[in-house]
Amino acid sequence: MLLTKLWVVLLVLLFQKCDCKSRTNITLPSDLLIGTASSAYQIEGAWNVDGKGESIWDRMTHNMSFAIKDGSNGDVACDSYHKIKEDVDIIHRLGVQFYRFSVSWTRILPTGFPNRVNKAGIRYYNKLINSLLKRGITPIATIYHWDLPQSLQDLGGWANPFIQEWFENYAKVLFENFGDRIKVWVTINEPKQICSFSYSKGVHAPVIVSEGIGVYLCYHNLLKAHARVYHLYNTTYRPLQKGKIGINIETTWFEPATDSAADKSAAERMWQFECGISAHPIFSEKGDYPKLVKYIVAKRSKEEGFPRSRLPRFKPEEISFIKGTADFFGINHYATLKVRPMKLLKGVSELNDIGAHVVGGRNESWSYYFQRYFKSVPWGFTKLLKNIKYRYQNPDVYIFESGVPDEGALNDQHRIKYFKENLAAVVSSIRDDRVNVRAFTVWSLMDNFEWQFGYTYVTSFKPTFD
């Protein structure tokens, strides 16, 4: 999600033996794994090499270059497809324990379907996995990180219920070819970004603008697709391969702007719509979407003249099928937002259920690092981790992304300070709150294609609360 320098992890690790009494000098628990990560479209390049098919990001960047800040694309990117040795050498020199990468669906199945398996794609990932293991680095594989085959998007993509079967068939190919060596699987990276940015706001491929409708169809199919892959692994492959499998959710911490009941309610609504809608069906004791989300969407749908809620209902058997389908709670954490209620603004879509209730901002007293979006708020991180513990029965937590971008400065002391503060927050959560954090991942291995921002830095802006 964000740009980082590849050597930051090594700098962070240098502080492992420091005095833990200071919030910025920390000793990492011996069982806390440290790693770095990437995703296929952002680094691999070789977009049409060796039989790879077209993804939705290939289509968007080629046909809608105006939608990318600098008009660029991932055709070459970091050229990691041709630089396995160089990449693994870098990872090894960092001294990290694991590397999280994603698999390109169209590099394995060029048409999106399993009737044609691309042997060159299988060879590429086999070589990457084996090279990592040879250097003592644990490979962690993400099955889906946003690069859907264009052929499947032409059939509706994540809005089509059949994608549940397509995703399961794709995952089966991965389990059969790589499961003997991959012991940690992530089914899907960041459901919110997939469903909101791609099928609601239209800023990510496939550029669908369908607020309040497409976004919920996406969530509904995505969660069931995730559950199908979990059960496939759990029943068929886990007994022999002995691995773990879970999902990865982007988790902002939402802090009430004041101690007022209204602001506290706004923070809770924001959590439920942004995080709970993905997490609750999997991790809560009863499953299903959060009651608050169901109530608000149903109420607004009725007011807008829809015959039923725009949020599809899970059948009782589907609730049971999805509940508990994760061996760990994967999170990506970058930000803390202060929130308060707002009235529906002119120009805001009637179907934007979140925008009708909450406005987010930041406090200028928070440590400033980059633009207004990236502030170091370590206490927000500890609150987030504690919140996950008590909402979802203290699951194992794998922090799969965290970081801060910059404009390319090599002397990025702000970034080192950022990581020290946030690692200290994680250690505090483990030590003081007994949160079961198992891994911390610096995003990303190298500077790469940053989605709608191309090869520029992220310039997200959020309102400020004094």
Side-chain angles (χ1 to χ4, degrees):
M1 184 174 178
L2 311 176
L3 301 180
T4 65
K5 292 290 182 296
L6 58 88
W7 46 270
V8 170
V9 183
L10 181 58
L11 293 175
V12 172
L13 292 177
L14 292 178
F15 299 107
Q16 286 188 8
K17 296 184 180 180
C18 294
D19 182 4
C20 195
K21 293 180 181 180
S22 169
R23 288 293 295 176
T24 57
N25 294 316
I26 58 175
T27 298
L28 301 183
S30 59
D31 58 350
L32 177 66
L33 302 176
I34 301 293
T36 187
S38 67
S39 83
Y41 186 78
Q42 291 180 277
I43 70 164
E44 285 182 4
W47 81 275
N48 61 351
V49 171
D50 291 342
K52 179 186 172 296
E54 182 188 30
S55 76
I56 55 175
W57 279 93
D58 295 324
R59 177 68 63 87
M60 174 187 177
T61 57
H62 293 161
N63 293 358
M64 300 178 63
S65 60
F66 59 84
I68 308 301
K69 185 177 179 182
D70 59 0
S72 63
N73 57 52
D75 288 6
V76 178
C78 303
D79 200 25
S80 286
Y81 185 77
H82 297 111
K83 295 182 177 180
I84 290 177
K85 183 181 185 303
E86 291 91 330
D87 286 359
V88 175
D89 283 347
I90 290 170
I91 300 167
H92 182 252
R93 288 199 300 271
L94 289 174
V96 296
Q97 294 152 297
F98 67 87
Y99 174 53
R100 174 184 167 239
F101 64 93
S102 76
V103 180
S104 166
W105 192 330
T106 55
R107 201 174 295 285
I108 298 297
L109 305 178
T111 66
F113 297 103
N115 62 311
R116 180 185 164 196
V117 178
N118 183 22
K119 293 181 180 179
I122 299 294
R123 284 196 301 269
Y124 169 70
Y125 292 109
N126 271 330
K127 185 177 180 181
L128 173 60
I129 292 166
N130 292 339
S131 297
L132 291 166
L133 290 171
K134 187 176 180 179
R135 294 296 193 92
I137 303 159
T138 298
I140 295 178
T142 300
I143 297 173
Y144 182 75
H145 195 131
W146 305 2
D147 48 351
L148 188 72
Q150 182 61 44
S151 57
L152 301 187
Q153 181 55 45
D154 292 341
L155 299 174
W158 288 102
N160 186 338
F162 281 102
I163 200 166
Q164 300 166 44
E165 179 181 338
W166 303 336
F167 186 57
E168 182 181 20
N169 289 337
Y170 162 52
K172 182 178 180 181
V173 175
L174 303 193
F175 295 151
E176 290 182 347
N177 283 277
F178 312 126
D180 58 327
R181 287 151 294 154
I182 298 292
K183 301 305 176 184
V184 179
W185 292 95
V186 178
T187 56
I188 294 168
N189 182 74
E190 297 185 335
K192 181 186 78 174
Q193 278 66 18
I194 296 167
C195 296
S196 180
F197 292 1
S198 299
Y199 290 86
S200 177
K201 302 180 186 302
V203 295
H204 282 182
V207 200
I208 304 296
V209 179
S210 182
E211 288 188 312
I213 298 177
V215 61
Y216 296 137
L217 292 176
C218 173
Y219 273 124
H220 210 63
N221 292 321
L222 183 150
L223 287 165
K224 288 192 280 188
H226 155 81
R228 285 180 67 145
V229 169
Y230 175 89
H231 287 295
L232 170 68
Y233 185 80
N234 191 51
T235 301
T236 305
Y237 296 97
R238 192 199 302 273
L240 181 63
Q241 296 179 357
K242 312 284 185 196
K244 296 181 179 180
I245 186 167
I247 194 168
N248 194 33
I249 300 171
E250 193 274 327
T251 49
T252 298
W253 175 247
F254 302 104
E255 180 74 7
T258 70
D259 288 332
S260 70
D263 287 359
K264 289 179 179 179
S265 294
E268 178 63 15
R269 287 195 298 274
M270 199 69 174
W271 168 270
Q272 296 293 12
F273 271 96
E274 293 279 290
C275 302
I277 194 170
S278 302
H280 212 75
I282 298 170
F283 295 99
S284 70
E285 287 186 289
K286 294 184 178 180
D288 203 357
Y289 294 120
K291 289 183 179 180
L292 185 63
V293 172
K294 292 194 295 182
Y295 169 77
I296 290 175
V297 179
K299 180 176 181 292
R300 286 180 56 78
S301 298
K302 183 177 181 180
E303 292 169 351
E304 294 154 358
F306 287 90
R308 62 181 63 85
S309 176
R310 292 179 273 99
L311 178 66
R313 291 184 179 180
F314 285 126
K315 299 175 182 177
E317 59 270 24
E318 291 174 333
I319 293 173
S320 298
F321 187 74
I322 296 170
K323 186 176 66 173
T325 55
D327 301 321
F328 54 81
F329 194 126
I331 70 169
N332 295 345
H333 177 70
Y334 292 99
T336 289
L337 279 178
K338 295 181 73 175
V339 296
R340 65 188 181 195
M342 76 173 195
K343 295 181 179 180
L344 190 64
L345 300 178
K346 184 178 181 180
V348 174
S349 169
E350 286 293 318
L351 303 184
N352 187 339
D353 298 302
I354 304 174
H357 293 83
V358 176
V359 61
R362 296 192 174 281
N363 191 313
E364 285 297 339
S365 66
W366 296 352
S367 297
Y368 175 81
Y369 285 126
F370 183 81
Q371 300 292 329
R372 290 186 180 272
Y373 187 73
F374 300 102
K375 305 265 188 174
S376 179
V377 192
W379 55 260
F381 209 163
T382 58
K383 284 189 174 185
L384 166 68
L385 293 170
K386 192 173 182 179
N387 177 63
I388 290 173
K389 172 183 176 178
Y390 288 110
R391 279 188 194 269
Y392 301 122
Q393 299 79 54
N394 201 16
D396 283 353
V397 174
Y398 285 63
I399 300 167
F400 279 132
E401 291 183 25
S402 186
V404 60
D406 67 12
E407 300 178 58
L410 293 178
N411 185 26
D412 53 355
Q413 295 298 315
H414 67 285
R415 193 198 305 272
I416 297 170
K417 187 172 184 289
Y418 179 94
F419 278 115
K420 289 177 67 177
E421 289 177 347
N422 282 280
L423 268 169
V426 171
V427 171
S428 174
S429 295
I430 296 170
R431 181 191 60 212
D432 301 333
D433 299 324
R434 298 293 188 266
V435 180
N436 294 323
V437 180
R438 305 303 184 192
F440 182 92
T441 312
V442 172
W443 183 267
S444 61
L445 173 62
M446 63 190 83
D447 289 347
N448 54 48
F449 180 82
E450 189 48 45
W451 309 113
Q452 75 267 36
F453 297 102
Y455 297 101
T456 67
Y457 54 88
V458 180
T459 56
S460 300
F461 174 84
K462 295 292 180 183
T464 298
F465 295 161
D466 294 327

